[in-house]
Amino acid sequence: MELIRQAGARKGARPDTFVGWLFVTPAILHTIVFMAVPAAGALFLSFTEWDMTSAPRWTGLRNYQEILFDRDLYPDFWISVRVTLLYAVLAVPAALFTGFVQAYLIDTVRRGQGFFRLAFYLPVVTAEAAVAAIWRWLYDPQFGLINEALGLIGIEGPDWLGIPEMVVPALVLIAAWQSGTAMLIFLAGMKGIPRNLYEAAEIDGANRRAQLFSLTLPLLRPTTFYLTVTGVIFALQMFGVVYVLFGRDIGGPESAGLTYVLQLYVSGFRDGEMGVASAMSFLLFIATLLITALQFRLSRRDAAS
Amino acid sequence: MRMAAALFAVALAATACGGEGAQEATATRTVDFWYYQPTPDQAVKVKQLAKDFESANPGIKIKLTEIPKDDYNTKLATALNGSGAPDAGYLDQPQMARFAGGGQLAEVPAGTIEEADYYPGALGTNKVAGKLMGIPLQQTTVVLFYNKKYIQTPPTTWAELIAASEKVHREHPNVAGVSLPKGDGFGAWIFPAFVASAGGTMVDEAAKKITFNGPQGQEALGLWRTLLTSSPRKITNTDQAFQKGLAAMTFSGPWDVLGIREQFPQLKFGVSLLPKKLEEASTIGGDNGVVFSKADNPDAAWKWLKFLSSAEHNAQYADITGNFPVNKKAAATSALAGDPDMKIVIQQLESARPRPALTEWIKVNDDVLAKAIEEGVDGDTSPAEALNAAATRATKVLGWS
């Protein structure tokens, strides 16, 4: 019996591998066809001049050079980098904070957890265009609900989307409201913390505040780190909301809402400079890679100390 | 093989059933025509027009595809590179050079239209390097709109415009004088009207030199900057400020004459010529009909475009979309011609100037000029500085340096 089973295992190694491959083939095909091939195509195009109507012309590194250094041809490039970085730096912590608060409150309430989970997650699954259109009404300087509400308590609200300095804060507010994903993952993380730890803490005399800061937050570190990394990657690709929010006035006042991907879109699809847009997307890829590597680095050093 | 056999059988059956009409049915040619998504009401009328064409031209079927205007050029460029490309469609005037240069457009076959029948301004936008690459379908321009509640006699000069704007805002602090165009592609399209009115030009194509940063351009941008002080963005940034009565004046085109009447019937507004500095001037825009080089049925497509621009149907078509006929004979029969507001627009059309016919002009318009307006009107930069910087950029974009 033992012998037979061993033989079977040895013989079965091949079919097993085969079945394994069979299972991952769809994923591999998907990655190759829809990700690797287009990415390779974009890499090629980034070295060409292509307006989508005539054949691409090889220009070597010229696109990269002009994007990075020619302020006459791409005056808004560095503005868009600044806008995007500022947005990521503010929006990610804001969304993490609201997400955590929501999760903490949901974890505390005894009844209706499912309802609150759904209610807070709804903004995430709502179509981006609809979200942006609604916020556009909310921010309307004359009839917007936000300024109406501020008016009730005697504050004259600003023209949120009309003043350059207010644009990024307005976007951050939307991000904070759309923090359902962070909420859900934080909540899962909280459920994963063994209850007996809290019991032990209680016996040691720790109040809720102490439990939060000495127990919940430290134990949620991996969750927070994951959310920070993915949040930053998403924030760097901010597009849909700003595209709809400003409509014809792309990027808003003084390009204060011109995110990197919006600038990329404009180059490719409005100006018909697909080569330039491809080069921009590769620059974003490299930047995202570097920023993510940096985050891993910092977190490891943090954990060690 | 079996598939082909089945298809054959079906075709045979269809022919057999069709009887006399069979010959025509098998020869049906479909023209996929792309155009800007109109209002639902307009769409019904365009469909009716297509039906009229189909009954006058048996064997041709028009498939109307509506595309939102903002996405049109993107979708078109993508479709032409992939599958699902239309046979014919609209093309915005400044896009002609780009698509023709890429070999995407078919040249208009000789004898398709009589060039003398058309307004030269509109026809001229179809010529790329001397070749006729499209047929004009409709044209448009920009005039002054004023709210009769605040403005009794519309201003005719720049000085009067400033005075009227300041008076309104002084007497009604919650109302802006003018809903001023912003630093975007639309504002950059209107701006040349003011440069021309001051006696200036945008470019000197022969000398390959940018001229919009001359004194006239600076005066034009300066005018907008002056108007901004009595037209706060905080008021006009609300959606449709003029329509809601929050701005006393605005610059817009005939499409808004129809749009406001339809959607804001309570607004009492009037239309007048753009206030001038030295000469009457406005800007011109419009759409051409083109047939793509890979079209399946180019002959049928040309017939359809010819139909839309003909003396008999061009007025009807332009009336539907809220634009103006390009066919001179049609202009007289346009239902809009009798409309007092539209009469002003027709008068303005006579002094409307086309934009420079340069392949990269779109980029100059949307990126460079738009930015100059944003900086020189809303920003801290003086009009002169903003325009000089824009001139440097435009020179580079056009490859004139």
Side-chain angles (χ1 to χ4, degrees):
Chain A
M1 203 54 195
E2 185 63 19
L3 267 173
I4 294 169
R5 200 183 295 152
Q6 272 183 1
R10 223 175 296 135
K11 258 193 187 164
R14 263 167 177 267
D16 267 0
T17 332
F18 176 71
V19 170
W21 277 106
L22 212 60
F23 274 118
V24 290
T25 300
I28 290 177
L29 275 181
H30 175 267
T31 310
I32 292 174
V33 175
F34 293 106
M35 300 180 83
V37 171
L43 183 62
F44 165 73
L45 287 174
S46 75
F47 299 115
T48 65
E49 188 183 320
W50 187 44
D51 64 355
M52 291 207 292
T53 55
S54 38
R57 261 182 304 143
W58 186 263
T59 53
L61 284 171
R62 206 182 71 193
N63 286 339
Y64 289 94
Q65 224 164 15
E66 286 179 349
I67 292 167
L68 291 173
F69 304 114
D70 196 326
R71 302 202 102 161
D72 290 329
L73 284 180
Y74 302 102
D76 287 341
F77 178 77
W78 289 105
I79 296 178
S80 79
V81 170
R82 212 181 54 218
V83 167
T84 311
L85 285 178
L86 184 66
Y87 172 74
V89 164
L90 295 175
V92 175
L96 282 188
F97 177 74
T98 51
F100 181 82
V101 171
Q102 288 168 353
Y104 189 72
L105 293 177
I106 291 177
D107 198 37
T108 318
V109 297
R110 298 220 167 151
R111 302 178 60 172
Q113 287 204 355
F115 168 75
F116 287 114
R117 221 165 39 211
L118 178 73
F120 290 143
Y121 196 65
L122 218 49
V124 180
V125 287
T126 311
E128 244 179 350
V131 166
I134 286 167
W135 279 91
R136 198 175 154 157
W137 294 337
L138 291 176
Y139 281 139
D140 189 294
Q142 293 297 313
F143 308 106
L145 205 60
I146 291 178
N147 282 2
E148 287 284 326
L150 288 176
L152 286 181
I153 51 169
I155 299 171
E156 201 196 333
D159 179 5
W160 292 87
L161 301 176
I163 302 168
E165 291 76 23
M166 292 309 297
V167 168
V168 171
L171 296 176
V172 169
L173 198 60
I174 300 178
W177 168 78
Q178 250 186 336
S179 58
T181 307
M183 177 273 293
L184 214 57
I185 294 174
F186 269 132
L187 194 58
M190 286 174 190
K191 300 275 186 215
I193 300 173
R195 289 286 138 178
N196 53 11
L197 289 179
Y198 289 99
E199 283 161 21
E202 238 165 82
I203 291 165
D204 285 346
N207 57 16
R208 283 201 76 92
R209 216 182 102 95
Q211 286 177 21
L212 171 66
F213 285 100
S214 313
L215 202 60
T216 314
L217 279 175
L219 285 172
L220 282 178
R221 268 188 73 120
T223 314
T224 316
F225 178 65
Y226 166 79
L227 285 172
T228 311
V229 171
T230 51
V232 167
I233 292 173
F234 276 117
L236 294 178
Q237 295 175 13
M238 166 75 156
F239 170 71
V241 169
V242 273
Y243 179 65
V244 178
L245 213 50
F246 297 107
R248 195 164 63 189
D249 182 19
I250 289 173
E254 292 175 30
S255 304
L258 186 76
T259 62
Y260 190 94
V261 178
L262 185 58
Q263 154 94 341
L264 189 163
Y265 171 84
V266 165
S267 298
F269 291 101
R270 192 190 65 193
D271 299 341
E273 297 179 336
M274 268 301 160
V276 170
S278 300
M280 283 181 181
S281 69
F282 266 90
L283 288 173
L284 177 64
F285 171 68
I286 294 166
T288 310
L289 211 63
L290 288 178
I291 290 172
T292 310
L294 189 74
Q295 282 176 299
F296 270 95
R297 196 82 196 259
L298 288 176
S299 114
R300 210 178 306 144
R301 191 185 304 160
D302 228 28
S305 67
Chain B
M1 216 29 229
R2 252 176 42 209
M3 184 81 163
L7 274 176
F8 184 67
V10 170
L12 209 67
T15 324
C17 299
E20 276 182 357
Q23 215 164 357
E24 272 171 19
T26 47
T28 292
R29 290 168 296 164
T30 303
V31 176
D32 186 7
F33 180 70
W34 280 23
Y35 74 120
Y36 300 149
Q37 186 173 40
T39 67
D41 187 40
Q42 292 169 343
V44 171
K45 291 177 182 163
V46 176
K47 277 195 189 99
Q48 186 51 49
L49 200 61
K51 282 220 177 74
D52 294 348
F53 172 81
E54 284 168 1
S55 47
N57 296 273
I60 301 179
K61 206 178 151 347
I62 302 297
K63 185 184 162 213
L64 296 168
T65 308
E66 299 170 2
I67 312 271
K69 187 172 181 177
D70 288 346
D71 303 331
Y72 189 85
N73 296 325
T74 314
K75 287 220 157 106
L76 184 63
T78 316
L80 288 174
N81 274 287
S83 57
D87 296 287
Y90 274 15
L91 202 56
D92 197 12
Q93 289 168 353
Q95 296 282 353
M96 293 297 289
R98 176 183 158 202
F99 282 82
Q104 310 273 23
L105 305 183
E107 194 179 343
V108 181
T112 307
I113 58 165
E114 195 62 59
E115 293 196 12
D117 289 350
Y118 297 87
Y119 284 106
L123 184 80
T125 63
N126 288 280
K127 296 217 167 144
V128 181
K131 284 183 184 167
L132 192 64
M133 303 304 291
I135 298 178
L137 296 178
Q138 53 189 16
Q139 55 181 339
T140 193
T141 189
V142 165
V143 291
L144 178 78
F145 283 59
Y146 62 96
N147 186 332
K148 288 184 174 165
K149 187 172 158 195
Y150 303 113
I151 309 272
Q152 279 71 43
T153 29
T156 57
T157 64
W158 285 13
E160 286 175 24
L161 175 65
I162 295 170
S165 174
E166 284 171 352
K167 183 162 178 280
V168 169
H169 188 57
R170 196 170 50 240
E171 291 171 1
H172 311 270
N174 294 324
V175 176
V178 185
S179 182
L180 209 58
K182 283 184 156 183
D184 55 24
F186 182 70
W189 173 61
I190 292 181
F191 176 64
F194 290 82
V195 181
S197 184
T201 52
M202 298 304 284
V203 293
D204 183 342
E205 283 179 54
K208 297 202 166 192
K209 207 177 161 306
I210 299 292
T211 52
F212 61 64
N213 58 334
Q216 296 89 352
Q218 293 175 18
E219 278 174 335
L221 207 59
L223 169 73
W224 285 17
R225 198 182 172 96
T226 308
L227 288 173
L228 191 72
T229 53
S230 54
S231 316
R233 290 277 190 224
K234 187 165 182 196
I235 300 175
T236 60
N237 268 352
T238 190
D239 196 32
Q240 299 189 300
F242 178 77
Q243 284 86 336
K244 288 177 185 158
L246 289 170
M249 294 175 275
T250 194
F251 314 128
S252 192
W255 63 88
D256 259 344
V257 172
L258 300 181
I260 296 174
R261 282 181 193 165
E262 201 180 306
Q263 291 169 21
F264 297 86
Q266 76 284 5
L267 186 78
K268 300 279 169 277
F269 72 98
V271 158
S272 74
L273 296 179
L274 282 184
K276 65 170 185 175
K277 170 123 184 146
L278 296 177
E279 28 187 306
E280 301 283 6
S282 190
T283 190
I284 196 171
D287 304 297
N288 298 328
V290 295
V291 172
F292 300 102
S293 46
K294 286 183 208 152
D296 297 327
N297 296 303
D299 302 346
W302 286 121
K303 265 190 190 165
W304 164 241
L305 293 182
K306 193 182 167 183
F307 175 88
L308 286 179
S309 68
S310 67
E312 298 78 34
H313 299 102
N314 190 231
Q316 195 188 347
Y317 184 59
D319 283 350
I320 295 172
T321 57
N323 285 289
F324 278 100
V326 287
N327 192 309
K328 287 187 208 157
K329 283 183 200 139
T333 67
S334 166
L336 297 176
D339 186 304
D341 286 342
M342 290 299 185
K343 268 188 186 150
I344 303 287
V345 187
I346 293 175
Q347 196 184 337
Q348 185 81 75
L349 212 45
E350 283 166 22
S351 59
R353 328 274 168 105
R355 63 201 112 188
L358 302 163
T359 314
E360 294 90 353
W361 190 253
I362 276 278
K363 189 169 155 90
V364 173
N365 187 84
D366 291 357
D367 276 357
V368 181
L369 273 174
K371 199 172 177 62
I373 293 169
E374 199 162 73
E375 290 172 350
V377 176
D378 290 84
D380 302 326
T381 321
S382 76
E385 277 175 76
L387 287 170
N388 282 331
T392 311
R393 284 185 205 133
T395 307
K396 229 168 174 173
V397 170
L398 295 168
W400 283 356
S401 52

